[in-house]
Amino acid sequence: MTDPSDHADAPLVQLLTPDGRRTTSPGYIYDGTLADIQDLYRDLVMTRRLDTEAFALQRHGELGLWPPALGQEAAQVGSARALRPQDFAFPTYRDHGVVWCRGEDPVHLLGIFRGSSLGGWDPADHHVALPNIIIGSQTLHATGYAMALTLDGLVGTGNPERDAASIAYLGDGATSQGDFNEALDWAAVHQAPVVFFCQNNHYAISVPLERQTRVPIAQRADGFGLPGVRVDGNDVLACHAVVTAALQRARDGQGPTLVEAVTYRMGAHTTSDDPTRYREAAEVEAWKAKDPVERVRLHLVAEGVPDEWFRSVEDEADALGVRLREACQDIPEPDLAELFDHVFVESTVENEQQKAEYVAWRDSFEGSVA
Amino acid sequence: MSELTKMTMVKALNSGLRASMEHDPKVIVMGEDVGRLGGVFRVTEGLQKDFGEGRVMDTPLAESAILGTAIGMTFRGFRPVVEIQFDGFVYPAYDQIVSQVARLHFRSRGSVRMPIVIRIPYGGGIGAVEHHSDSPEAQFAMTAGLKVVSCADPHDAHWMIQQAIASDDPVVFMEPKRRYWETGMVDTAETTLPLLASRVVRPGRDATLVAYGPMVKTCLDSAAAAAEEGVDIEVIDLRTLSPLDLGPVFESVRRTGRAVVVHEAARTLGLGAEVSARITEECFYALEAPVQRVTGYDMPYPPSRVEDEFLPGLDRILDAVDRARAY
């Protein structure tokens, strides 16, 4: 990339090159075993399969919309696998890999984009909030959660089973929102145990990075008084190492970190978008050579991981694909009458009256030919 | 056993907050200047000293962040009571309120609870500069997923704030700032009404005045003036704006046949429009006249030197009563 707006000169943490070689960056090491890297690879493959299956389901009319995560798998998996069970993630609508890694059933994601639900899970189950669609709002939720961790005395106790942090997911577009800037400020002022993980995928729908920020996103942290780290977002080892360090810093009571994961949205913004209207094919091709999954595969092959292991991962991905296709069609239709029950914890007379009105109206057609 | 104490609304709110904080360690207070200063209206005075900086938090000056972080805190079981310093400052938080606070319970099919109380000193009549006299209650009352209430006297202020904090649903708590310094008797031992109930504050036979918050006293004054001329007006304090509790209003209008709704907020799509529509739906055959509305005019809040012309007062209210009675 020669475009100066890409901030190509800014330092970038990288631990695995696009051709699958381990490399070094000052201050960061990935200290996992080969088996750990195989686990990360498996998550990358599963995330990609989930994403491509959902894309296909949209094309078959089973989903109304799908925002592809293609190309961003390493950023999502590397960061999410750095979380401990007691940490809490606040994802966006594109962070399918985060939801996967937290252990939440990805069928819920299909439900959202099928028009069947607005979320569908209890965030307390796997410590992952419902994906946020309003851009940037969740950065404040993560900050508040982190402030509450401090109030609860769950920061800096030295107990690895106890100390916790939160992570806010966001994209480059969100860095222009007031909420994001307020979140950085509050987190720094309160030294809240939160990591802001920005996937800079270079586009907010059609608007390129240069229209969002004059300086590298990681550098924005300076003005708020928190560290900013720029990491190769297509390098799962680097993302894991950087976020592991940032989370530990947060849990230890040393405050927040902004991580900019430099990646690329290989697909459209959503299935309704046509990216050929605003970006060049050559740019996409250049990023294809930095694929986040392929570089891990090359590394594992070089490390002697046998073919049959890769085939077993593919088999598992195939099984996930089958399960998603079947489960998608089994997602129950939402019942408007039931939705009245979830407007309030303590329902109101008005709510009950309108529910009764709707049910009576609906039931008046019972038995009639549609 | 009642324990009557005379106090201002500010003091009544303060003692109510204190009682809630003593009762539940998960109740926290946050907002601009609420800690060391005790709030610009002193509603939170002394709370930080007694409960610490962790539970009474001076926040950075950012309303969206006050709400956004409060949401995050509810994920850990906290019950934040946030203060928006003035009505006109709530709009930066509007997105977090309507897109997040009001929806998260619904979005999660009931698994997430948002027990947040959003305290907003509101309304005019204090000679303030711009953005310090707004009445944005309808904008919250029309948002599904929020409950909106307004206290009108110290006793209700003391108890309604505690009831709002105890609610597992989010409550927008509208405080009539022009009544902050008026005193009233507060029974600190017990109260008789739940949070989401309206009540008749003055019985009468000839017409029904429906009001809430700052206009309740104005309506009571109007009724007292009318009584001197032999007109017997019933006054109802709505107390809850969403949901509305209009049973007492319908019962009253069926007796009087005449209703006048009064609020400071602009007329078009204000609470009066909804109340008027529902009275018409429920009391059509009892009505002797169309429901009248006495409200602020459809303009941004004016310079304060003409606010007495803008705000409903005795003359405009009684003129509306006369119009209703002349049908």
Side-chain angles (χ1 to χ4, degrees):
Chain A
M1 302 291 291
T2 52
D3 182 351
S5 69
D6 194 42
H7 310 301
D9 296 339
L12 188 76
V13 177
Q14 188 183 68
L15 300 177
L16 188 67
T17 64
D19 55 3
R21 285 178 297 106
R22 295 288 288 265
T23 182
T24 58
S25 287
Y28 293 97
I29 50 163
Y30 176 77
D31 59 3
T33 63
L34 184 65
D36 292 331
I37 299 176
Q38 286 177 274
D39 284 346
L40 291 174
Y41 177 79
R42 177 184 167 276
D43 286 329
L44 292 171
V45 170
M46 301 301 272
T47 298
R48 180 160 292 183
R49 183 60 66 95
L50 149 64
D51 190 58
T52 51
E53 282 298 338
F55 184 89
L57 285 166
Q58 194 280 335
R59 286 295 186 251
H60 282 96
E62 296 292 339
L63 304 183
L65 188 80
W66 183 256
L70 188 67
Q72 299 178 219
E73 297 91 345
Q76 296 178 7
V77 168
S79 58
R81 282 298 175 205
L83 294 165
R84 291 180 183 158
Q86 72 266 30
D87 298 328
F88 208 107
F90 291 83
T92 78
Y93 55 83
R94 200 187 300 286
D95 294 314
H96 316 312
V98 176
V99 174
W100 166 263
C101 288
R102 290 310 274 170
E104 195 47 76
D105 188 346
V107 174
H108 289 310
L109 296 173
L110 303 183
I112 293 172
F113 292 102
R114 191 176 166 85
S116 302
S117 88
L118 303 177
W121 70 78
D122 183 348
D125 288 345
H126 298 279
H127 278 210
V128 56
L130 300 174
N132 201 62
I133 292 176
I134 301 288
I135 302 299
S137 304
Q138 73 285 355
T139 58
L140 285 169
H141 306 167
T143 302
Y145 188 92
M147 290 162 66
L149 286 171
T150 305
L151 289 176
D152 281 336
L154 297 174
V155 181
T157 70
N159 181 346
E161 304 296 318
R162 191 175 155 81
D163 287 347
S166 66
I167 185 166
Y169 285 89
L170 65 140
D172 43 301
T175 65
S176 299
Q177 286 279 10
D179 278 1
F180 167 70
N181 289 274
E182 291 180 20
L184 288 191
D185 182 51
W186 282 49
V189 165
H190 291 278
Q191 287 294 284
V194 53
V195 175
F196 299 100
F197 188 79
C198 176
Q199 291 167 71
N200 168 10
N201 71 13
H202 289 79
Y203 288 91
I205 304 188
S206 68
V207 179
L209 184 67
E210 72 205 57
R211 293 286 170 200
Q212 304 293 344
T213 182
R214 184 78 176 165
V215 300
I217 289 166
Q219 193 179 318
R220 302 270 290 276
D222 295 350
F224 294 97
L226 65 154
V229 185
R230 201 160 175 270
V231 60
D232 181 347
N234 285 15
D235 174 354
V236 72
L237 302 188
C239 286
H240 189 277
V242 165
V243 175
T244 297
L247 285 168
Q248 196 51 48
R249 192 173 174 279
R251 294 187 204 103
D252 288 345
Q254 296 172 55
T257 303
L258 170 63
V259 178
E260 175 191 0
V262 182
T263 181
Y264 194 80
R265 196 191 73 211
M266 296 303 291
H269 163 63
T270 69
T271 44
S272 297
D273 178 37
D274 174 12
T276 63
R277 294 172 68 96
Y278 53 81
R279 65 187 191 187
E280 301 294 327
E283 182 181 284
V284 181
E285 284 305 309
W287 277 94
K288 220 172 245 175
K290 304 180 193 177
D291 185 75
V293 185
E294 178 63 7
R295 73 174 73 181
V296 184
R297 193 188 68 81
L298 290 172
H299 175 68
L300 292 177
V301 168
E303 291 291 315
V305 174
D307 284 350
E308 53 264 38
W309 183 81
F310 287 101
R311 273 198 298 275
S312 74
V313 174
E314 282 308 309
D315 289 346
E316 201 182 334
D318 289 345
L320 174 66
V322 170
R323 182 170 88 79
L324 290 175
R325 286 195 295 276
E326 290 173 357
C328 184
Q329 295 184 347
D330 292 340
I331 294 172
E333 288 298 303
D335 174 7
L336 190 62
E338 187 222 332
L339 293 178
F340 281 98
D341 300 338
H342 303 307
V343 179
F344 293 110
V345 177
E346 204 174 319
S347 191
T348 64
V349 173
E350 288 153 354
N351 206 39
E352 295 300 323
Q353 281 174 345
Q354 291 187 17
K355 179 181 178 179
E357 180 184 312
Y358 163 69
V359 170
W361 168 258
R362 184 188 64 186
D363 291 352
S364 73
F365 298 97
E366 207 112 290
S368 64
V369 180
Chain B
M1 184 108 95
S2 62
E3 273 177 45
L4 291 175
T5 313
K6 189 177 181 183
M7 61 177 90
T8 63
M9 183 180 286
V10 165
K11 181 64 188 161
L13 286 164
N14 181 273
S15 62
L17 284 167
R18 180 176 290 277
S20 290
M21 295 188 79
E22 283 167 353
H23 174 71
D24 184 350
K26 283 294 191 182
V27 174
I28 56 172
V29 167
M30 52 195 289
E32 295 154 8
D33 304 293
V34 299
R36 196 168 174 184
L37 181 67
V40 295
F41 293 107
R42 306 296 183 266
V43 170
T44 55
E45 186 158 40
L47 297 180
Q48 189 182 64
K49 185 171 142 288
D50 294 339
F51 294 98
E53 289 183 27
R55 291 186 65 195
V56 183
M57 203 182 300
D58 276 322
T59 67
L61 207 164
E63 287 80 10
S64 185
I66 292 173
L67 265 301
T69 55
I71 290 165
M73 289 179 173
T74 65
F75 277 71
R76 291 205 57 79
F78 284 93
R79 306 180 83 86
V81 183
V82 307
E83 176 176 306
I84 299 296
Q85 197 161 70
F86 282 90
D87 37 58
F89 303 170
V90 74
Y91 308 114
Y94 193 65
D95 169 59
Q96 289 283 356
I97 296 171
V98 303
S99 299
Q100 308 290 340
V101 173
R103 290 172 187 244
L104 272 159
H105 184 69
F106 189 72
R107 190 182 295 155
S108 64
R109 290 188 68 216
S111 57
V112 171
R113 293 183 174 192
M114 286 283 123
I116 299 175
V117 175
I118 305 167
R119 293 184 40 241
I120 309 177
Y122 81 113
I126 63 165
V129 297
E130 198 183 358
H131 311 299
H132 292 66
S133 302
D134 285 7
S135 294
E137 63 273 16
Q139 298 184 40
F140 300 110
M142 73 187 295
T143 301
L146 300 176
K147 289 174 176 172
V148 185
V149 302
S150 182
C151 54
D153 60 51
H155 177 82
D156 269 354
H158 177 80
W159 286 106
M160 287 172 73
I161 189 67
Q162 295 179 66
Q163 293 166 330
I165 292 167
S167 165
D168 283 330
D169 291 306
V171 178
V172 178
F173 195 87
M174 307 295 296
E175 300 174 1
K177 69 170 96 72
R178 70 193 289 189
R179 308 296 176 205
Y180 264 163
W181 305 280
E182 292 173 9
T183 55
M185 298 308 288
V186 176
D187 184 344
T188 54
E190 60 181 1
T191 195
T192 52
L193 275 183
L195 181 64
L196 303 178
S198 62
R199 71 177 167 123
V200 176
V201 288
R202 177 193 169 104
R205 291 187 308 269
D206 299 331
T208 304
L209 284 179
V210 181
Y212 54 89
M215 285 292 107
V216 173
K217 172 153 191 305
T218 309
C219 286
L220 285 170
D221 292 346
S222 303
E228 290 176 16
E229 295 173 11
V231 180
D232 190 15
I233 296 177
E234 181 147 311
V235 180
I236 294 178
D237 177 3
L238 286 178
R239 297 172 83 252
T240 174
L241 312 184
S242 180
L244 285 163
D245 175 35
L246 295 183
V249 174
F250 301 150
E251 192 279 324
S252 175
V253 173
R254 287 186 190 113
R255 280 188 285 106
T256 65
R258 295 170 173 87
V260 179
V261 192
V262 183
H263 54 65
E264 291 190 15
R267 182 171 311 158
T268 301
L269 295 173
L271 257 294
E274 180 67 25
V275 172
S276 172
R278 295 215 204 166
I279 291 172
T280 307
E281 287 168 0
E282 294 292 327
C283 309
F284 188 69
Y285 292 107
L287 283 171
E288 300 288 346
V291 178
Q292 306 291 310
R293 286 178 287 169
V294 185
T295 68
Y297 298 106
D298 287 359
M299 65 168 69
Y301 200 85
S304 63
R305 290 177 76 90
V306 293
E307 70 181 342
D308 288 345
E309 300 291 310
F310 172 86
L311 294 168
L314 265 61
D315 290 342
R316 280 173 62 199
I317 292 169
L318 292 177
D319 181 61
V321 171
D322 286 347
R323 273 187 277 125
R325 296 182 70 234
Y327 264 87

